[in-house]
Amino acid sequence: MAKHSIVLIPGDGIGPEVTRAARRVLEAAGLSVEWVELPAGATAIEQGFDNVLPERTLAAIRAHKVALKGPVTTPIGKGFTSVNVQLRKKLNLYAAVRPVRNLPGVKTRFDGIDMVIVRENTEGLYSGIENEVVPGVVTSLKVASEVACTRIARYAFRYATKRGRKKITVFHKANIMKMSDGLFLNSARRIHEDEYPNIEYEETIIDAGCMKLVQKPENIDVLLMENLYGDVVSDLAAGLVGGLGVVPGSNIGDDAAVFEAVHGSAPDIAGKGVANPLALIMSGVMMLNHIHEEEIAKRIRTAYDRVLTEGKTLTRDLGGTVGTDAFADAVIAALT
Ligand code: NAD
């Protein structure tokens, strides 16, 4: 088997704990890999770098094309631009893909949830263009470009086609933001009509969409959104299937891909060894599929499904008592 070179970014808070666990599981399942471990976030500053996203880390992802990343802490209100925003913009990782599904053994209010959130990752209100117009009045600019709107719409339809998904729903607020959300909507509509008329397509104003999402989440198949809506709705959807500990994610561009859980650095539980590593392990499974190691991916998925179904070795967020390492050990023991 070819040896893969993969950039590993432990990150901050619970990041090092969950990346260590995910790395152990991937290796135990048979991944032949050379990890190129590099810092980002507060850790990078502690190590003497002058940016939360050091040029070395960025260059390594450009060179190796794939990274597995733990969460990083983003200071609120001042200081550095978020690592995640920088990564997505500098590497043009324009599509965030987040599968949200019920897991065996994880009891939730809803059954039958199996949706994929596709979030535009590079613009919207995350453009970081803010201005003080006059003292006491500030603006944040929401940017939408036809190129980015078309690119993400095409990505979502192509993804749906490849994965045998039937329907794309766009959440929007084009009734109010007629130009920016209007462009997003028109781009999706055009890709549907011109290129993928076989995929069912619907548009829902986001406020009503959120209500529908918690009334009948099983009706959602692929959910396409601009940046901020995608961010907020991802956490909402995570809550429907057991929380942030069980939702993986990927940030995909044409030249590189970064795989990471939806959750953040969880400072409230950092260093306690209790974080659930499953979301990052699942992100690792997405990464394995991306690098065409489907067999290893399947082995890991079967193993964690078995551990969850058994229900004896769950982390606290899923109602259990074990810690990060013990959960990873249980997944490794369940590998066949
Ligand atoms: P968070 O996702 O870190 O935590 C929210 C809640 O979920 C907390 O109660 C936390 O304990 C719990 N939680 C999160 N992950 C968990 C896990 N794996 N197992 C068990 N419980 C888990 O969100 P936050 O507190 O709003 O953000 C903390 C920091 O993380 C902020 O600096 C934020 O900017 C950053 N953040 C980073 C990323 C990323 O790097 N991709 C994503 C989101 C937030």
Side-chain angles (χ1 to χ4, degrees):
M1 188 205 309
K3 196 165 191 161
H4 298 277
S5 303
I6 298 174
V7 177
L8 184 74
I9 302 173
D12 304 319
I14 60 169
E17 300 163 53
V18 292
T19 43
R20 191 175 55 241
R23 173 184 176 159
R24 284 205 293 124
V25 170
L26 292 173
E27 287 173 10
L31 179 66
S32 172
V33 59
E34 184 189 340
W35 298 108
V36 180
E37 191 170 323
L38 286 163
T43 315
I45 303 299
E46 281 158 28
Q47 289 184 14
F49 290 93
D50 59 0
N51 191 319
V52 281
L53 180 60
E55 195 48 48
R56 251 177 79 188
T57 305
L58 201 57
I61 305 174
R62 279 202 183 101
H64 300 288
K65 299 190 183 309
V66 180
L68 184 64
K69 173 183 165 296
V72 294
T73 301
T74 309
I76 292 177
K78 56 181 182 226
F80 299 99
T81 308
S82 145
V83 169
N84 300 316
V85 173
Q86 285 195 61
L87 262 181
R88 291 162 194 170
K89 281 197 188 157
K90 290 184 175 168
L91 297 173
N92 219 356
L93 306 174
Y94 58 84
V97 181
R98 296 166 166 184
V100 178
R101 66 175 176 104
N102 285 116
L103 290 168
V106 179
K107 262 214 168 97
T108 58
R109 286 171 202 268
F110 301 96
D111 295 318
I113 300 175
D114 181 10
M115 71 178 87
V116 177
I117 293 175
V118 177
R119 162 189 175 193
E120 202 293 319
N121 234 357
T122 61
E123 49 182 35
L125 278 164
Y126 288 65
S127 55
I129 306 172
E130 297 194 305
N131 256 318
E132 186 175 49
V133 185
V134 291
V137 182
V138 295
T139 60
S140 260
L141 211 63
K142 176 163 173 166
V143 176
S145 70
E146 194 169 350
V147 168
C149 293
T150 304
R151 185 174 60 181
I152 193 67
R154 187 172 282 123
Y155 181 90
F157 277 99
R158 198 172 52 221
Y159 178 95
T161 305
K162 267 198 203 154
R163 302 295 172 119
R165 298 262 170 184
K166 302 275 180 282
K167 183 172 73 175
I168 291 196
T169 305
V170 179
F171 278 5
H172 66 92
K173 196 76 186 173
N175 50 330
I176 303 298
M177 279 158 276
K178 295 181 196 299
M179 291 189 76
S180 53
D181 280 19
L183 181 58
F184 192 85
L185 210 50
N186 282 334
S187 306
R189 208 177 282 167
R190 195 164 38 76
I191 294 292
H192 165 60
E193 285 166 4
D194 295 351
E195 298 178 24
Y196 295 91
N198 51 319
I199 301 274
E200 203 184 320
Y201 173 73
E202 67 181 10
E203 298 164 353
T204 306
I205 293 177
I206 188 162
D207 33 352
C210 283
M211 179 194 67
K212 288 183 187 167
L213 194 55
V214 296
Q215 278 182 331
K216 285 192 179 295
E218 66 277 11
N219 284 352
I220 300 285
D221 193 357
V222 176
L223 196 48
L224 170 62
M225 282 168 287
E226 63 85 76
N227 210 339
L228 180 63
Y229 306 154
D231 189 12
V232 175
V233 172
S234 293
D235 277 32
L236 189 159
L240 299 174
V241 297
L244 286 166
V246 299
V247 178
S250 58
N251 300 289
I252 309 276
D254 292 332
D255 303 316
V258 175
F259 294 82
E260 64 178 342
V262 172
H263 65 72
S265 56
D268 52 334
I269 55 169
K272 296 184 179 158
V274 298
N276 188 352
L278 181 56
L280 194 66
I281 294 171
M282 293 169 86
S283 308
V285 166
M286 291 178 79
M287 182 184 77
L288 291 171
N289 285 320
H290 179 82
I291 60 173
H292 303 296
E293 291 286 6
E294 289 89 354
E295 276 304 309
I296 302 176
K298 202 168 151 208
R299 205 173 300 147
I300 298 175
R301 202 166 41 233
T302 307
Y304 66 63
D305 275 355
R306 195 170 292 151
V307 172
L308 294 173
T309 307
E310 231 177 55
K312 286 191 206 142
T313 329
L314 301 179
T315 45
R316 290 194 322 194
D317 55 314
L318 298 183
T321 54
V322 307
T324 312
D325 289 338
F327 180 81
D329 289 341
V331 174
I332 290 168
L335 288 166
T336 50

